[in-house]
């Protein structure tokens, strides 16, 4: 059923640019943490907490573009360019609205937003100044992500990765300039990190617009922007709503983890901030394979090759365990280097050692679930399972346990951190049961383009 050479070639062709794109984005957070961490622990911690707002925004944007990617991969496999243009329009409408709402919240209520994550007045003050500047970048993010998603599912994944990587390189350079006051620029510290992010996002969007104007790229059909096909809109909603539910469960849950640990003291918050950066860097490979899995499985299912799509899914699921083991070993290998690179108090450094060891075990579950749920299952339209599993494992088990451990039983920050890692490892048996029911082996496309 599978030509292994073709399978491996396609997997590498899709995975490497997407993983590199994910890595470059994670490097921005790492650069912020390292540069601000060398200035002051408070600056690093405040920016780490403030960026949780963008993390929540990305949950909405990711769900909207995720629905477009699921349907887009299948319609691309079918060869229906007209419907892809309509999907592009849908993504732009919904993602643009979300970006506008988050921009207004950051500009009007930054102190209120920071108060969700910490009660430290100094951290709230620093984070608020960051959000007022970085909020402008949130306004641009939704639009650029729609362009990058469409490139990813239409065999322009390298170009999309090049755009993201270029923007990230610019972000890191501007971080150094504005945080430390290089090349005659003022020394802005946290505000400099926000300004660098905003400028790089603007560059990213301009590159998207310029590159997608070339031949062979799918572009929004603005003449049909307000006249979307009803059935396609319903198909989009059928995929997007469970993704939004799952993204909110996961995103707000992860933010709750940050808030819980953030209220256990600045040392625990600082250690958690650094461990989160390492986690995001190590997860880049499984993120790339997960995205590639959704595209490869979706292409085959949309083309009507259901058995081949099923075989692809099985092979990708098996591969996820290998990636999980590799990720575990990587976390353990970089732990001594990570602890030695950032400026932390002795207590925060002790917390960081423990969090990194706990995270090493967590990485197995994270990799398996990312590839299987967000890749294979979503590629076939089985998007609702992710929301169910998060409600049970995260919201009914991990979050209540972490909350009561922190504020009722007064456990140590490491014990509470371990509670926040339970959900990914604990739900692996349930994920495998769902996978083997093969509800995800479906063709989601319709016969021919509809009239609006």
């Amino acid at each position: 059923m599978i030509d292994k050479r073709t399978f491996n070639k396609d997997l590498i062709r899709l995975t490497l640019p997407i993983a590199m794109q994910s890595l470059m984005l994670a490097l921005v957070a790492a650069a912020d943490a390292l540069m601000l961490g060398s200035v002051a622990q408070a600056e690093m911690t405040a920016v780490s907490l403030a960026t949780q707002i963008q993390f929540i925004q990305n949950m909405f944007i990711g769900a909207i573009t995720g629905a477009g990617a699921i349907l887009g991969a299948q319609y691309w496999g079918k060869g229906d360019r007209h419907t892809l243009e309509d999907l592009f329009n849908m993504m732009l409408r919904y993602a643009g609205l979300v970006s506008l709402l988050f921009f207004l919240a950051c500009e009007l209520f930054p102190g209120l937003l920071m108060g969700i994550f910490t009660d430290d007045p100094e951290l709230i003050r620093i984070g608020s100044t960051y959000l007022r500047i970085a909020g402008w970048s949130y306004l641009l993010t939704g639009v650029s992500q729609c362009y990058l998603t469409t490139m990813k599912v239409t065999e322009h994944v390298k170009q999309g990765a090049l755009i993201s990587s270029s923007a990230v390189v610019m972000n890191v350079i501007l971080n150094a300039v504005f945080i430390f006051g290089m090349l005659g620029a003022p020394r802005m510290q946290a505000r400099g990190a926000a300004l660098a992010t905003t400028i790089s996002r603007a560059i990213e969007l301009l590159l998207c617009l310029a590159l997608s104007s070339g031949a062979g790229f799918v572009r929004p059909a603005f003449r049909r922007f307000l006249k979307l096909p009803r059935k396609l809109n319903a198909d989009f909603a059928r995929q997007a709503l469970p993704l939004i539910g799952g993204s909110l469960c996961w995103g707000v849950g992860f933010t709750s983890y940050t808030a819980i640990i953030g209220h256990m003291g600045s040392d625990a918050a600082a250690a958690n901030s650094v461990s989160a950066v390492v986690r995001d860097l190590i997860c880049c490979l499984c993120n790339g394979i997960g995205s590639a899995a959704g595209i490869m499985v979706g292409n085959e299912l949309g083309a009507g090759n259901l058995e081949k799509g099923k075989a692809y899914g099985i092979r990708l699921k098996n591969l996820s365990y290998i990636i999980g083991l590799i990720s575990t070993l990587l976390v353990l290998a970089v732990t001594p280097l990570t602890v030695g690179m950032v400026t932390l108090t002795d207590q925060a450094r002790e917390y960081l050692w423990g969090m990194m060891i706990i995270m090493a075990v967590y990485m197995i579950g994270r990799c398996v679930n990312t590839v299987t749920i967000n890749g294979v299952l979503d590629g076939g339209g089985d998007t609702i399972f992710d929301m169910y599993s998060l409600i049970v494992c995260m919201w009914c088990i991990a979050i209540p346990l972490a909350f009561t451990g922190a504020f009722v039983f007064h456990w140590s920050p490491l014990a509470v951190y371990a509670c926040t890692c339970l959900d990914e490892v604990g739900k692996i048996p349930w994920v495998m049961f769902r996978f083997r029911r093969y509800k995800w082996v479906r063709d989601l496309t319709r016969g021919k383009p509809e009239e609006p």
Side-chain angles (χ1 to χ4, degrees), residues 124-443:
I124 292 175
R125 182 190 66 80
I126 297 171
S128 296
T129 60
Y130 177 90
L131 286 175
R132 282 199 176 94
I133 300 173
W136 291 92
S137 72
Y138 303 164
L139 187 63
L140 306 174
T141 298
V143 178
S144 61
Q145 289 304 307
C146 294
Y147 277 87
L148 293 172
T149 298
T150 304
M151 291 180 190
K152 182 172 65 176
V153 300
T154 56
E155 298 183 4
H156 295 103
V157 64
K158 291 182 180 179
Q159 291 88 336
L162 179 62
I163 290 173
S164 290
S165 300
S166 300
V168 167
V169 170
M170 181 62 66
N171 196 342
V172 173
I173 294 172
L174 293 176
N175 266 344
V177 170
F178 293 125
I179 289 175
F180 300 117
M182 299 169 62
L183 302 178
R187 182 182 171 90
M188 301 175 68
Q189 299 184 356
R191 293 181 296 118
L195 182 59
T197 298
T198 301
I199 294 174
S200 63
R201 286 296 186 184
I203 293 172
E204 180 181 63
L205 180 56
L206 290 174
L207 290 173
C208 286
L209 294 172
L211 192 59
S212 64
S213 64
F217 285 82
V218 174
R219 291 177 287 276
F222 289 113
R223 65 186 182 279
R224 304 197 303 272
F225 193 76
L226 299 177
K227 300 178 181 179
L228 300 178
R230 290 186 298 273
K231 291 182 179 179
L232 182 63
N233 206 27
D235 289 343
F236 188 88
R238 196 173 295 115
Q239 300 303 321
L241 291 178
L243 285 175
I244 289 174
S247 294
L248 284 177
C249 286
W250 188 75
V252 177
F254 248 87
T255 304
S256 299
Y257 293 158
T258 303
I260 290 170
I261 295 176
H263 283 85
M264 298 187 75
S266 60
D267 288 329
N272 185 54
S273 299
V274 176
S275 68
V277 171
V278 177
R279 179 196 66 218
D280 292 342
L281 288 171
I282 301 295
C283 282
C284 291
L285 182 57
C286 75
N287 291 341
I289 293 179
S291 296
I295 295 171
M296 292 173 66
V297 171
N299 284 167
E300 296 300 332
L301 297 178
N305 305 323
L306 300 187
E307 286 301 317
K308 189 174 182 180
K310 178 180 175 180
Y312 271 26
I314 293 171
R315 187 172 178 84
L316 288 160
K317 179 263 297 179
N318 294 337
L319 183 61
S320 69
Y321 285 94
I322 300 174
I323 301 303
L325 180 59
I326 293 173
S327 299
T328 294
L329 297 175
L330 279 175
V331 171
L332 294 175
V334 303
T335 295
L337 178 63
T338 302
V339 175
M341 284 181 65
V342 292
T343 304
L344 297 173
T345 64
D346 291 340
Q347 183 64 74
R349 187 175 292 107
E350 182 181 336
Y351 288 152
L352 182 56
W353 270 104
M355 288 178 179
M356 294 290 286
I357 294 171
I358 295 168
M359 191 208 305
V361 179
Y362 158 89
M363 291 303 300
I364 296 176
R366 175 66 179 270
C367 292
V368 171
N369 294 329
T370 296
V371 175
T372 306
I373 299 176
N374 305 121
V376 178
L377 298 189
D378 283 359
D382 188 7
T383 56
I384 200 166
F385 172 74
D386 192 22
M387 183 174 66
Y388 288 158
S389 66
L390 287 166
I391 289 172
V392 174
C393 297
M394 177 179 277
W395 284 93
C396 294
I397 299 175
I399 290 177
L401 196 58
F403 184 86
T404 56
F407 303 116
V408 178
F409 300 113
H410 304 292
W411 291 344
S412 72
L414 290 182
V416 173
Y417 182 81
C419 293
T420 66
C421 296
L422 284 176
D423 59 314
E424 293 286 2
V425 177
K427 70 183 180 183
I428 290 179
W430 190 11
V431 172
M432 293 301 103
F433 176 78
R434 180 73 173 199
F435 176 88
R436 292 189 180 97
R437 296 184 69 185
Y438 300 115
K439 284 188 173 184
W440 51 273
V441 185
R442 292 186 297 163
D443 181 354

Side-chain angles (χ1 to χ4, degrees), residues 15-39:
T15 297
L16 289 182
I18 297 172
M20 181 59 67
Q21 183 178 355
S22 180
L23 175 63
M24 296 300 285
L25 292 172
L27 282 174
V28 175
D32 284 349
L34 289 173
M35 293 180 189
L36 291 171
S38 66
V39 173

Side-chain angles (χ1 to χ4, degrees), residues 81-161:
R81 188 185 181 96
H82 182 279
T83 303
L84 271 170
E85 293 173 349
D86 288 333
L87 287 170
F88 204 158
N89 287 345
M90 289 180 189
M91 288 191 289
L92 282 175
R93 286 175 62 174
Y94 301 135
L97 177 60
V98 168
S99 298
L100 178 62
L101 293 176
F102 274 83
F103 162 73
L104 293 174
C106 289
E107 295 303 313
L108 300 176
F109 315 109
L112 183 63
L113 295 176
M114 284 299 300
I116 298 173
F117 306 107
T118 181
D119 51 9
D120 187 315
E122 179 68 6
L123 296 182
I124 292 175
R125 182 190 66 80
I126 297 171
S128 296
T129 60
Y130 177 90
L131 286 175
R132 282 199 176 94
I133 300 173
W136 291 92
S137 72
Y138 303 164
L139 187 63
L140 306 174
T141 298
V143 178
S144 61
Q145 289 304 307
C146 294
Y147 277 87
L148 293 172
T149 298
T150 304
M151 291 180 190
K152 182 172 65 176
V153 300
T154 56
E155 298 183 4
H156 295 103
V157 64
K158 291 182 180 179
Q159 291 88 336

